[in-house]
Amino acid sequence: WVQSAMLASLISSPVTGDPTRNEAVAKERRGRALERLHADGHISAEEMSTLDSYPVPRQRRSRQDEFEETYYLEEVKQILLDATYLGDTKLDRTEAVFAGGLRVFTTFDPAAQDAAERAIAAVIPPNEWDVTAALASVEPGTGAVRALVGGPGFADYKFNIATQRPGRSTGSSFKSFVLAAAMDAGYVPTDVMDGTGPCEFDNTGGTPNPYEVENFGGSRGSIGTIRQMTLSSSNCAFVKLGQIVGLANVSETANALGVTSTLDPGVISMPLGPIDITPMEMATAYASIANVGIRVEPFYIERVETRDGIVLFDRSQDEAAQR
């Protein structure tokens, strides 16, 4: 009877009478329902008094408990909690996400996720030193995020290394942006460069000055084409190429492709990837390169519907979401 009275009291105004929000209001309305039950002869006065003394529910049980916590799911939840199409206030959006019966269609690919987790486990198995890795998979041409590994497991480590700043240094993977800036400036793969090392650069105003660079493994390097310097990942050649092209142009190119972290053109070592960038930014930029240089924006949600099938958001119809 007490549960039935609680449910009956919610019919006229579920939000106002929500016991998890308004305990006093919910208890008063449930009391009125109990009084009606007594007046209609379903319960005695003593039963009514006893049932009225019961506490109202204070915790919400929702379908979110049915899903395993993952980095991908957390990203989707946070996006929905900020989505104005689900309500004007954070409280309204929280209600819609956790109790609204929404149908959310995401870009998640279970096969890609399994492959991502296997790839990381093959290189860095579970260990006692908390060494971990992150991975972001962004589909070229669309920007759909197909898989996401943010660390050793969201249940134990909430910080998402793949998406949350400060990110990590990128190493030689940043050299692609130097190449892109060079090609944009008119240089071609057959242009010749001096990649011999060690090499030294004037770094007036910076530290150290001069700036000394060594090729990987102390290699003496060689003089050759940009293609050859790329195949050998010559540090000396790429720092020189960065100076020739201009680090401001390299920064602009990286930003245009999808790197949103701040890149300081005054850092002479930029081509060697010392600046912290998130894996998601790098995956986005590389997806843009694979998309013939056209920038893609990473996204997780294709469509959101109410429990009755009313479309609240459809990315294919939302021009702002596609920009």
Side-chain angles (χ1 to χ4, degrees), residues 224-239:
T225 64
I226 291 178
R227 177 183 286 111
Q228 291 170 325
M229 296 301 104
T230 302
L231 291 172
S232 64
S233 193
S234 170
N235 291 339
C236 284
F238 270 88
V239 173

Side-chain angles (χ1 to χ4, degrees), residues 120-141:
I120 289 178
V123 179
I124 307 177
N127 59 84
E128 58 184 298
W129 306 284
D130 294 328
V131 178
T132 188
L135 182 150
S137 173
V138 179
E139 184 175 78

